[in-house]
Amino acid sequence: MRKRLVFNAFEMNAVSHVYHGLWRHPANRQTSFNTLAFWTDLARTLERGRFDALFLADVVGIDKGHNGGRDTYFKEGIHLPANDPAILSAALIGATSNLGLMFTSSILQSHPFDFARRVSTLDHLSDGRIGWNIVTTTSRNAARNFGFDEPVAHDERYAWADEYVEVVYKLWEGSWEDGAVLNDPAAGGYANSSLIHEIGHRGQRYRVEGPHLSSPSPQRTPVLIQAGSSKAGRAFAARNAEATFVVCLTPEAARVAVNEIRRDVVAAGRDPSDLLFFQGLSFVIGSTEEEAWRKSRALDEYVSTDGLAAHVGRDLGIDFGRLDPERPVADYAIEGLRGFTQFFEEANPGRKARLIDLVTSMSYNGRIVGTPEQIADSLEAWQDAGIDGINVAYQTAPGSFVDVVDHLMPVLRARGLAQIEYAPGTLRERLFPGRPATLQGAHPATRYRRVAENASAALAATGRG
Amino acid sequence: MRKRLVFNAFEMNAVSHVYHGLWRHPANRQTSFNTLAFWTDLARTLERGRFDALFLADVVGIDKGHNGGRDTYFKEGIHLPANDPAILSAALIGATSNLGLMFTSSILQSHPFDFARRVSTLDHLSDGRIGWNIVTTTSRNAARNFGFDEPVAHDERYAWADEYVEVVYKLWEGSWEDGAVLNDPAAGGYANSSLIHEIGHRGQRYRVEGPHLSSPSPQRTPVLIQAGSSKAGRAFAARNAEATFVVCLTPEAARVAVNEIRRDVVAAGRDPSDLLFFQGLSFVIGSTEEEAWRKSRALDEYVSTDGLAAHVGRDLGIDFGRLDPERPVADYAIEGLRGFTQFFEEANPGRKARLIDLVTSMSYNGRIVGTPEQIADSLEAWQDAGIDGINVAYQTAPGSFVDVVDHLMPVLRARGLAQIEYAPGTLRERLFPGRPATLQGAHPATRYRRVAENASAALAATGRG
């Protein structure tokens, strides 16, 4: 029997996340993203299927990236409107009992003192089901929404991220010691002030006195997710992340990436198992392969290639709207397209990749079409390459997830690839069986705990130190 | 039949809000404030009683205000820990269908671009049940949690508040025109970019490009509450607030305050009915007056006078812990205590007010003890003085609210003083019957709408302008 994979639903509090154009599909209810009923229904479906978490992506700005403007983003609802994912996570706590709630928040958007309290509140109310996807934002519009003229330079952004997590670690881990809350009406009062500390942070960007406004939540620090792919981003993830999100083209490519990043984790003094790898995939499931491909072609009819080009181009910093989609990629010397070009031409011998082919295949990268058994075989290959979990993207919502829950999960469970029941405990305990609810080991957050310091002070005071 | 009063439950995402020491009462479940179950139960009780809203107070720092330190605040759980009220509001949306959710957020804690989206998301998910209690924070610790050395000076704080609301008004009212969302699969696409605007705000403290990340929510701008009592604070409320929160000592005092502030509202070019007045009160209800007083005395046994002194002293900027509570107030020349001293000595002829008397009576000010009929009589007097609604403080939660719902509300309903059923629509439509869901008239937020401008442009384009 295999080790189980982690499954997250990869979503966004928006009209169109990955498969642009599909918002027009009559079975897609994602256009109801403004309503709680849509999300409650989705969350309950995921919990029924024993998904580990709802993973909410986010943006805090939309650049003028396609045909020099934003029209395509609005027309196709691509990441705009985009509502707040932390508020949505809060709204789903009561509708679920076990589902993890992982949301994205940029260091650009919130002051860490306020952010830390929002997260602690979420973690308290959910009994420890919260994960934070840490992002540093590169968007120019996002920068300009928060008072900057231009995005902060790359390396400086990660120095900023380092300070940001330092502040929140101090608040979550270093401000209230274990045992600070007494809740003892008879004698001790509600809390013991000698175990509650100001943090006195004075750094490059932030000065934060403290103490933290919330008492320690079940996980203290939420499960930390980070998906930076640059050198500085990967180093940050190696030091801080407990899960990282990759979108590799093949299991073989994943194996290389996973091994490389795990080496960085070890170099950062952590255990290689301290970091989980989530691969982004999506599924079109049929009872036969033919049926699956028929479904896939039917979905394709709704695809907006203009929307896909706008999204992919934005991520690559290329305005595809100004290039001819029918021309071979080779005509444009674009460094960011080399890997995809090679991948496409190997998969389609004798064909020269055109821009349109690339946009389509890049966006569709990670879509697996087949029977549940075929998909299970493929997932085994991803697992063998070192992948710990899957971020499942949808074509229609909740439809794509209902298909996974009803048709794929039973086959995966029979192979041990999916969990049959939720384990008890917090999100962290479920993702890392056998470990406690709070961060342990060489994680930098643990450095701010005062337990040891006070324990030794107490020992010294009793003359036993 | 009388006009109904508005009823809000006055709460805080904390252990102890107003009646300090009562957290020790065996019937008080407020110490479970970290759990969703406590709040869900409370919210359902309020909705059963047709309360208009849950009003959540907040702080973002705790000063060293009692005996030179914070010990009493921790020991008595006074406003610390204090969890995030917006996250709590989000978590209660699904547990309720009609209850308004009014939460406090300081201009100090969140960037207005991010805050505006959180509010829009809340307003979308709740179908328009959100209110924002705007505060400018005077706490030194709060300032130091957000990078300042000292609190921003008073008048400057209101200049800041003016710019803060200007930014969020631009985002809520001026960025997406009505009709910008098409959600039209066949022809127009999801949104019409020509009706979505950057806001291009460039002010003293903020530069915000936009557009707003959320499409217009049911109320666009949430119901605005503001309770500043200084000259600048009252002028801000007169311009911006739709409800203000007062804690007057008597209906007569309320009449003076209400008339004065309504004059300011008119001077600001608004209709006097544009601003509602909520008086803070609490109730101890008995089937006879004797029973009510017996209950009141039993509650009093749990009161922490040290806790009350710490709270009141903090609000007045006086460290009561360093003064002798048994000495006459007159021995200390404290301007902020004059009104209360006079009030106490008039109510207790022949007694010289000691500090301890004052602390107790100031904290208990607005507690009405009696039968439902007696309380109803008293509420009529408050209404006659111009009060539109009551912010109901609790001694025990949810106990105090259960008493109000089960014993007071039926009597109030019989007199027309409380609503029998929720009216349809958003929170704003319920608070202002006959008015639409969005702000109207002379409110400054309406100034940022582009409807008129575009309508005339459209007329001009058709040659009919």
Side-chain angles (χ1 to χ4, degrees), chain A residues 20 65-66 72-73 76 78 304-315 318 320-321 359:
Chain A
H20 304 303
H66 198 65
T72 305
Y73 302 107
E76 298 298 331
I78 300 173
S304 159
T305 47
D306 202 41
L308 295 175
H311 181 173
V312 175
R314 189 198 62 191
D315 288 356
I318 303 163
F320 280 130
V359 163

Side-chain angles (χ1 to χ4, degrees), chain B residues 378-398:
Chain B
S378 175
L379 290 178
E380 290 186 355
W382 286 100
Q383 189 181 51
D384 290 340
I387 292 298
D388 302 289
I390 310 296
N391 270 8
V392 181
Y394 66 91
Q395 289 92 23
T396 68

Side-chain angles (χ1 to χ4, degrees), chain A residues 142-440:
Chain A
R144 291 179 171 208
N145 288 332
F146 291 96
F148 296 88
D149 286 323
E150 297 297 332
V152 171
H154 186 271
D155 285 356
E156 203 189 318
R157 225 162 54 231
Y158 276 97
W160 181 0
D162 281 331
E163 188 184 348
Y164 196 96
V165 296
E166 184 183 330
V167 174
V168 294
Y169 292 161
K170 285 174 175 172
L171 292 165
W172 288 327
E173 304 286 344
S175 187
W176 294 61
E177 293 185 43
D178 289 341
V181 173
L182 305 166
N183 195 10
D184 178 357
Y190 184 77
N192 177 351
S193 62
S194 71
L195 300 179
I196 303 165
H197 310 281
E198 293 187 354
I199 65 162
H201 176 86
R202 299 185 79 84
Q204 201 67 27
R205 284 183 188 263
Y206 300 110
R207 285 183 302 153
V208 180
E209 185 171 75
H212 189 34
L213 295 175
S214 297
S215 59
S217 69
Q219 300 186 118
R220 284 185 175 262
T221 297
V223 171
L224 299 170
I225 305 140
Q226 208 269 343
S229 56
S230 67
K231 193 160 171 260
R234 278 173 46 174
F236 180 89
R239 285 194 304 279
N240 294 283
E242 302 175 81
T244 190
F245 174 35
V246 295
V247 186
C248 296
L249 294 172
T250 62
E252 294 66 44
R255 189 188 309 274
V256 174
V258 167
N259 287 338
E260 224 172 276
I261 302 174
R262 285 211 204 276
R263 270 197 298 277
D264 294 346
V265 171
V266 173
R270 299 169 68 200
D271 191 273
S273 67
D274 287 356
L275 183 67
L276 302 178
F277 288 82
F278 300 151
Q279 162 73 16
L281 291 175
S282 75
F283 308 111
V284 182
I285 308 167
S287 55
T288 64
E289 198 177 340
E290 291 66 37
E291 186 193 315
W293 280 106
R294 202 160 51 238
K295 281 173 72 174
S296 175
R297 280 189 299 273
L299 291 169
D300 281 352
E301 287 178 21
Y302 287 90
V303 163
S304 159
T305 47
D306 202 41
L308 295 175
H311 181 173
V312 175
R314 189 198 62 191
D315 288 356
L316 292 169
I318 303 163
D319 189 339
F320 280 130
R322 289 181 162 161
L323 308 181
D324 181 351
E326 301 294 334
R327 277 177 65 178
V329 189
D331 291 6
Y332 303 101
I334 300 171
E335 176 58 28
L337 298 181
R338 276 213 307 161
F340 280 102
T341 307
Q342 194 185 340
F343 180 70
F344 180 89
E345 294 183 352
E346 278 171 22
N348 299 276
R351 278 178 63 186
K352 276 248 171 255
R354 298 164 304 160
L355 266 178
I356 186 73
D357 298 324
L358 274 203
V359 163
T360 310
S361 70
M362 286 164 75
S363 314
Y364 277 58
N365 131 51
R367 184 170 64 161
I368 307 182
V369 181
T371 65
E373 289 71 20
Q374 290 173 318
I375 295 172
D377 292 345
S378 174
L379 290 177
E380 290 185 356
W382 285 99
Q383 189 180 53
D384 291 340
I387 291 297
D388 302 289
I390 309 298
N391 270 9
V392 182
Y394 67 91
Q395 288 92 24
T396 68
S400 297
F401 297 111
V402 172
D403 279 357
V404 169
V405 168
D406 289 342
H407 303 299
L408 180 57
M409 284 298 184
V411 174
L412 299 180
R413 276 190 210 111
R415 300 193 190 189
L417 277 167
Q419 66 186 349
I420 292 165
E421 201 34 270
Y422 287 107
T426 61
L427 180 59
R428 179 171 287 115
E429 289 166 285
R430 287 167 169 167
L431 294 178
F432 298 96
R435 297 197 194 176
T438 54
L439 277 167
Q440 302 295 323

Side-chain angles (χ1 to χ4, degrees), chain B residues 174-187:
Chain B
S175 186
W176 293 61
E177 292 184 44
D178 289 343
V181 173
L182 305 165
N183 194 9
D184 177 359

Side-chain angles (χ1 to χ4, degrees), chain B residues 23-92:
Chain B
W23 67 270
R24 292 187 180 82
H25 194 290
N28 199 348
R29 288 185 49 222
Q30 184 74 28
T31 49
S32 303
F33 77 102
N34 278 325
T35 70
L36 185 59
F38 165 75
W39 292 104
T40 301
D41 182 38
L42 173 63
R44 288 186 178 140
T45 297
L46 297 175
E47 207 161 61
R48 179 165 68 79
R50 307 295 184 258
F51 268 71
D52 289 86
L54 175 65
F55 183 115
L56 292 165
D58 195 23
V59 298
V60 287
I62 286 286
D63 293 314
K64 295 173 178 168
H66 198 65
N67 292 310
R70 292 194 188 101
D71 289 7
T72 305
Y73 302 107
F74 287 118
K75 190 176 173 201
E76 298 298 330
I78 300 172
H79 305 183
L80 196 91
N83 290 340
D84 189 279
I87 291 293
L88 174 58
S89 298
L92 292 175

